[in-house]
Amino acid sequence: MFRLNSLRGRLILLVGLAITPMAAMTVMTGVREREHAIEVARENLQRVANLAAANEAQSIEGARQILRDLSSVPDVLADPDDCSVLLSDILAKNTDYVNFGLIRMNGDVTCSAVSSSSVVNLADRPHFRRAVTERRFIAGNYVFGRVIGRHTINLTYPVIKRGEVVAVLFAALDLAELDKFVLDVQLSPGSVLWTTDANGTIISRRPDSAEWLGRKAPAALLAALATRPKTPVVVADADGVERLYAFARVGSHEVSDYTVMIGIPHEEIVAAATRDQLIASVGLVATVTLALLAAWFGGDILIVRRVQSLARTANRIATGSLDTRTGMPYENEEISDLARSLDEMAQALQKKELERDAAAASLQAADRRKDEFLAMLAHELRNPLAPISSGAQVLKLAHADNPSVTRTAEIIVRQVAHMTRLIDDLLDVSRVTRGLVKLNRQLLDLRTVVEDAVEQAYPLLKARRQQLQIDLPHTPVGVSADHKRMVQVVANLLNNAAKYTQEYGHVRIALARVEGGNLARLTVADDGIGMAPELVTRVFDLFTQAERTSDRSQGGLGLGLALARTLVLLHGGTVRAESPGPERGSMFTVELPYEEVLQTPAGANASAPQGARPGRLRCLVVDDNVDAAQTLALFLEAAGHEVSVAYRASEALDLAAKTTPHVCFLDIGLPDIDGNELATRLRQQPATANALLIAVTGYGRKEDQERALAAGFDQYFVKPLDTAKLVAVLGVLTPEAVP
């Protein structure tokens, strides 16, 4: 039933009084006619521009053919007088051109169809240099000819003999003749045709060509050309006329860099449609006027005032006055329904506001408790660290004359200091993740950062019997960074890889300078449990962890990767995670701005080898893990042997040649050459051909052992070392017993 007091009834009444169905039809028809006229004009204009460009391209293609043919004529490079006669004859047959010539490699024009009173040098001409460099036909930009004194474009072609450019032929095209190639293009009154070179300089214009040659095209036109529009666009010309412009390239890139632009007055395109629209608009204005009068007098009373009242109420609610109500009586009509809904919304928001305040207070209390917990945790963790640190210092002082004890104490001190820093980071995690950490930047070699981080992460890797492969370059990889923070980043990545890789798994850390030289890239990869795609996208978020077993043998607090990402970003770098999927391993990549550092000469700090005392064995320990190498060296020195240590295979080969070791302990997973290859090379050196080679590795499979023995090893030890067996092996040896 139609009700006048309903919102729908009022709208129908207003529409019936004011607007007729013809209003919409009139507008749509006028718009469509105008759009159709413009679309037809665009298509026709683009076809005309393409035709003009094709005509000009054909003329330039003709010049290229002439020059190509000339380049194969022997007389061109012969006597200059004969060459000039030949070019004069060609010029006489091609009246569109004003000169032909030959430019030698020093830029001198030694042959020309138009004689000159002095030697002309064109070495500074870009078209000459491009023809020599690019070894192809070049349609040059606008020039004012030095010999002929006219507006021209020079078309050049290199003369190539035995694979080398020996000269450059050129043809100077008179720009006054260029317009004739587009004479068959019919333009309406007020239309303009331009041709510009690659620099935006005018080389052809219709009308008034002579006045524009050599000048820059109008700025508005060049700005439109810079966008390379694929369809015609409207441009306001310098004469104040808006024209629809089409753009077409003259030939392919191999032909020229010229552009043809044709513009026709925009008003001319839409003139007929505008007249029809004007007539229709008069009727539409009358219709709209009637609708406005109806809306003004009827709508104001029936609808507008009540809607304004609701709007004012909604605005007050939006500003926070949730106790505001409409105050309207609820009647059986739409606006009353809207008022009722608005009042109910305000009441619900008021209730939610109270709940939100209570939740905020609860979160603040939880945050305070979290800070108190972290402070207490740090205190309790520092308690056992203090006596450990003090004990290490006492041990170091009490045994200052014992290098083995001193080095062991230094390792303990470094690890305690690092754990203290980690505790500080735990307390300050909020500040770190918000980027408020103050970095102590200095020029670092990332290789030392990797070595320090490996030292920190090695105990976890060793406990899980995992193999760590280290790939470091021979030259420094410099960055401007905070050493402590970068060690923390790398150690966190290594610890993460160790936690989520099964026992006897493999972890690889690699460092390199990115091709191009402006970035240093560090990658940590493992063959562990991997990540699902949804975890990869949020793995750097705080407290994010992969799925763990119930015994919590994997994972930690979920802070390590978040801290690593924040610290890398603070250094101006990037970090990303990748994984092929669950059970397929993961890889983390850090990229930092590269800085050049001076390279320390290899072996600058190496100690000179000492001769073996009677009863002592000369031992060579090769392991890329610093702590593992030093620990084994301490054990051997304590047994009374002389020990040399190398952390890379290349260093080991040099040390072996210098020290002639009796026994070599070789790790298999070395960064530059694997242990098996190193053993083969040691067997080939006279100094170690008969030395006892012992493999010390985490690879324990039978096939790994067979491969090592085949490479030349005498003994095979799986980490951690069976010291009793090692003592037994060395116990039967003396320097005299080893060849």
Side-chain angles (χ1 to χ4, degrees):
M1 179 179 179
F2 182 84
R3 293 181 298 161
L4 185 61
N5 64 345
S6 67
L7 178 59
R8 181 179 297 176
R10 295 185 183 102
L11 291 176
I12 292 175
L13 176 61
L14 293 175
V15 172
L17 291 174
I19 298 181
T20 65
M22 289 301 299
M25 184 66 69
T26 300
V27 174
M28 291 177 60
T29 301
V31 171
R32 287 180 178 177
E33 289 180 356
R34 186 181 183 89
E35 291 177 349
H36 179 69
I38 294 175
E39 186 61 29
V40 171
R42 288 179 189 272
E43 294 176 358
N44 293 336
L45 181 60
Q46 190 62 58
R47 281 197 294 269
V48 171
N50 293 340
L51 174 62
N55 289 345
E56 292 188 2
Q58 185 176 3
S59 69
I60 296 174
E61 184 63 39
R64 179 165 71 167
Q65 187 60 47
I66 293 174
L67 295 176
R68 181 189 299 168
D69 294 342
L70 278 174
S71 69
S72 61
V73 176
D75 290 346
V76 169
L77 297 177
D79 183 71
D81 293 336
D82 294 342
C83 174
S84 297
V85 171
L86 172 64
L87 296 185
S88 298
D89 182 58
I90 293 175
L91 179 62
K93 297 177 182 178
N94 295 271
T95 58
D96 297 334
Y97 301 89
V98 294
N99 196 11
F100 287 89
L102 179 75
I103 310 171
R104 292 292 180 174
M105 295 305 292
N106 63 356
D108 289 342
V109 179
T110 60
C111 173
S112 174
V114 178
S115 61
S116 175
S117 59
S118 61
V119 177
V120 177
N121 188 279
L122 301 181
D124 61 330
R125 294 296 198 190
H127 56 76
F128 166 69
R129 296 197 302 269
R130 287 185 61 192
V132 173
T133 303
E134 300 180 25
R135 302 165 63 92
R136 66 178 181 87
F137 172 79
I138 298 296
N141 295 327
Y142 164 85
V143 294
F144 190 80
R146 297 177 181 175
V147 177
I148 58 178
R150 296 185 186 179
H151 303 284
T152 66
I153 53 174
N154 282 342
L155 312 173
T156 55
Y157 195 90
V159 180
I160 301 175
K161 298 298 182 180
R162 292 182 296 277
E164 297 292 333
V165 177
V166 298
V168 175
L169 287 165
F170 73 89
L173 178 63
D174 188 355
L175 294 184
E177 300 294 325
L178 187 61
D179 277 337
K180 77 177 188 178
F181 294 110
V182 291
L183 288 178
D184 58 341
V185 177
Q186 301 299 319
L187 301 178
S188 59
S191 299
V192 182
L193 183 149
W194 313 74
T195 304
T196 61
D197 62 16
N199 294 328
T201 304
I202 299 169
I203 60 176
S204 173
R205 187 183 188 274
R206 288 176 54 194
D208 305 324
S209 176
E211 299 178 9
W212 289 88
L213 293 180
R215 295 167 56 183
K216 284 287 185 181
L221 199 56
L222 291 179
L225 175 61
T227 64
R228 292 294 177 186
K230 296 183 179 180
T231 58
V233 295
V234 177
V235 178
D237 267 336
D239 58 3
V241 178
E242 283 193 346
R243 292 183 173 89
L244 183 67
Y245 270 96
F247 304 84
R249 184 188 183 95
V250 178
S252 66
H253 176 70
E254 296 296 326
V255 175
S256 79
D257 293 322
Y258 305 152
T259 303
V260 170
M261 302 174 287
I262 300 179
I264 60 177
H266 188 261
E267 186 60 31
E268 177 184 326
I269 300 173
V270 298
T274 300
R275 287 193 300 270
D276 294 339
Q277 276 189 305
L278 181 60
I279 296 173
S281 297
V282 173
L284 182 59
V285 167
T287 303
V288 171
T289 301
L290 179 60
L292 290 176
L293 290 173
W296 181 263
F297 293 106
D300 182 64
I301 298 172
L302 299 176
I303 298 176
V304 174
R305 294 181 183 179
R306 303 181 72 196
V307 172
Q308 288 176 343
S309 177
L310 293 177
R312 287 192 293 271
T313 301
N315 287 336
R316 288 195 294 271
I317 295 173
T319 57
S321 300
L322 300 181
D323 57 346
T324 303
R325 301 293 184 267
T326 62
M328 287 186 179
Y330 301 149
E331 299 177 359
N332 189 21
E333 47 95 20
E334 285 83 351
I335 291 183
S336 293
D337 292 341
L338 180 59
R340 182 186 297 107
S341 298
L342 193 59
D343 289 342
E344 292 174 352
M345 179 192 70
Q347 184 177 357
L349 288 176
Q350 192 172 19
K351 181 180 179 181
K352 292 291 184 182
E353 180 73 10
L354 295 174
E355 294 175 352
R356 185 186 65 82
D357 291 343
S362 176
L363 286 175
Q364 290 177 355
D367 190 57
R368 285 195 303 271
R369 290 194 296 271
K370 179 262 295 180
D371 292 339
E372 293 170 358
F373 166 76
L374 291 179
M376 182 178 297
L377 177 62
H379 173 74
E380 294 301 324
L381 288 176
R382 285 194 181 102
N383 279 338
L385 288 179
I388 294 174
S389 179
S390 300
Q393 295 292 351
V394 171
L395 184 64
K396 183 177 180 181
L397 294 174
H399 299 274
D401 57 343
N402 189 327
S404 299
V405 175
T406 300
R407 276 182 284 177
T408 303
E410 288 173 350
I411 292 173
I412 296 173
V413 170
R414 284 200 303 273
Q415 296 305 320
V416 170
H418 181 70
M419 190 168 183
T420 302
R421 291 194 296 269
L422 291 180
I423 294 172
D424 292 337
D425 287 342
L426 180 63
L427 280 172
D428 203 26
V429 65
S430 177
R431 187 170 65 92
V432 172
T433 55
R434 283 182 290 146
L436 302 179
V437 172
K438 182 179 180 181
L439 299 177
N440 181 22
R441 286 178 177 265
Q442 56 182 318
L443 195 58
L444 301 177
D445 182 354
L446 269 183
R447 297 182 303 175
T448 64
V449 171
V450 172
E451 290 170 356
D452 290 347
V454 168
E455 178 181 309
Q456 294 179 14
Y458 183 72
L460 178 58
L461 293 162
K462 181 178 180 181
R464 297 181 62 80
R465 299 177 178 85
Q466 294 164 342
Q467 296 302 305
L468 175 63
Q469 179 183 348
I470 305 176
D471 292 340
L472 299 180
H474 293 285
T475 57
V477 181
V479 295
S480 176
D482 185 315
H483 182 271
K484 178 183 74 173
R485 294 301 184 182
M486 286 312 303
V487 170
Q488 183 179 1
V489 169
V490 181
N492 283 353
L493 294 178
L494 286 172
N495 287 333
N496 181 76
K499 290 175 184 177
Y500 293 102
T501 300
Q502 65 278 6
E503 288 194 355
Y504 302 104
H506 301 80
V507 177
R508 176 178 179 267
I509 182 169
L511 177 64
R513 183 177 177 183
V514 178
E515 186 176 352
N518 60 342
L519 288 176
R521 177 180 295 158
L522 182 140
T523 58
V524 176
D526 61 70
D527 56 1
I529 66 173
M531 294 180 285
E534 60 271 14
L535 180 59
V536 173
T537 61
R538 57 184 180 86
V539 70
F540 292 106
D541 294 342
L542 274 174
F543 310 118
T544 297
Q545 294 176 311
E547 182 178 351
R548 299 181 295 177
T549 57
S550 59
D551 62 358
R552 298 179 59 85
S553 62
Q554 298 172 334
L557 296 177
L559 299 177
L561 293 182
L563 288 173
R565 178 184 62 175
T566 302
L567 291 173
V568 170
L569 293 178
L570 289 176
H571 282 85
T574 60
V575 59
R576 64 180 182 274
E578 303 171 67
S579 176
E583 306 303 329
R584 299 178 66 184
S586 304
M587 183 172 72
F588 292 83
T589 303
V590 175
E591 291 183 345
L592 295 165
Y594 176 83
E595 299 282 348
E596 193 70 36
V597 296
L598 296 177
Q599 183 174 357
T600 303
N605 298 322
S607 301
Q610 301 177 356
R613 296 196 303 270
R616 301 179 67 191
L617 292 173
R618 291 191 299 275
C619 300
L620 173 62
V621 176
V622 185
D623 198 321
D624 58 329
N625 184 279
V626 176
D627 280 351
Q630 292 184 352
T631 303
L632 179 55
L634 289 173
F635 176 80
L636 294 171
E637 289 173 349
H641 303 297
E642 177 185 344
V643 183
S644 299
V645 179
Y647 304 111
R648 302 174 66 87
S650 56
E651 298 174 11
L653 291 170
D654 294 337
L655 272 177
K658 295 176 182 178
T659 62
T660 316
H662 300 117
V663 185
C664 299
F665 298 86
L666 309 181
D667 183 24
I668 298 298
L670 295 174
D672 46 357
I673 304 172
D674 69 42
N676 292 329
E677 175 64 21
L678 177 58
T680 301
R681 295 192 184 185
L682 289 174
R683 287 298 185 208
Q684 295 171 353
Q685 289 190 172
T688 51
N690 298 312
L692 182 68
L693 301 186
I694 300 177
V696 182
T697 177
Y699 298 107
R701 298 179 305 174
K702 182 178 179 181
E703 53 267 32
D704 295 326
Q705 184 173 355
E706 292 174 351
R707 190 180 300 114
L709 295 176
F713 281 104
D714 299 299
Q715 297 286 337
Y716 192 91
F717 282 77
V718 178
K719 295 179 179 178
L721 279 172
D722 184 343
T723 55
K725 180 180 177 182
L726 178 59
V727 170
V729 170
L730 298 180
V732 299
L733 296 177
T734 64
E736 295 77 13
V738 181

